[in-house]
Amino acid sequence: MLEDWAADDAPWCLSATYVPEEGTNGGKLAVTAQYEHFAGRGEAYFAQEDLLTFAERIQAFPLEEHEVVGCASGLFVGYEHVALEVAPRGGKGQLIVSVRLANSSWGGGTPVIEHRLSCEIPTSYEYLARFGRQLSSVVLGVIFDANLFPDVLV
């Protein structure tokens, strides 16, 4: 079970934090995905309502066979720095969380994407629902981070 795992023992981990931006209905979501010694991080601005809707939708059971639940945003208009998509895989309750992360720097007055990470994390409805509840709590300021570990049995 997940409770028996320390984060250092998990082969994959997805972690998300959120910092609200004062005077707006949004904030910055920071997502880190790691596998052993390989990791990537992306940050993007999201409306609070969009993240809460995504967190609620990924708790649904079951997702329709070809349904994809996702959220994506960037630090700048027209750029994607964080994208999360959840979809069923196979017919036995397996799910895949597709993650795309990027970071940017300013080059000549224009943002330039420097690094990209793309990965897929196998998980289950149980673990995904837990992550959805945690993500809602993160966005509402109740807890600091939300973590998704893989379900190694899927």
Side-chain angles (χ1 to χ4, degrees), residues 2-121:
L2 178 66
E3 293 81 15
D4 298 331
W5 281 20
D8 293 339
D9 296 334
W12 271 106
C13 178
L14 177 73
S15 180
T17 61
Y18 181 77
V19 177
E21 189 170 279
E22 235 175 275
T24 72
N25 69 343
K28 189 186 294 185
L29 180 73
V31 175
T32 302
Q34 69 179 39
Y35 178 72
E36 295 178 352
H37 300 292
F38 176 75
R41 179 180 167 88
E43 297 179 337
Y45 291 105
F46 283 87
Q48 183 181 41
E49 183 178 318
D50 292 345
L51 288 175
L52 292 173
T53 299
F54 173 73
E56 181 179 329
R57 289 187 66 209
I58 63 175
Q59 294 177 62
F61 176 81
L63 293 178
E64 296 298 321
E65 184 178 344
H66 299 289
E67 182 178 6
V68 176
V69 178
C71 66
S73 190
L75 292 174
F76 316 106
V77 174
Y79 287 78
E80 181 184 86
H81 290 92
V82 173
L84 303 173
E85 292 181 343
V86 177
R89 168 98 31 108
K92 298 181 182 176
Q94 301 126 330
L95 298 163
I96 290 293
V97 179
S98 298
V99 181
R100 294 185 307 276
L101 304 174
N103 66 11
S104 296
S105 66
W106 287 92
T110 312
V112 176
I113 298 289
E114 289 189 335
H115 301 99
R116 296 179 192 272
L117 168 94
S118 178
C119 64
E120 291 186 338
I121 301 172

Side-chain angles (χ1 to χ4, degrees), residues 12-15 97 121 123-124 127-128 131 134 146-150:
W12 271 106
C13 178
L14 177 73
S15 180
V97 179
I121 301 172
T123 195
S124 66
Y127 287 18
L128 188 62
F131 177 72
Q134 288 178 355
N147 296 288
L148 175 68
F149 297 101

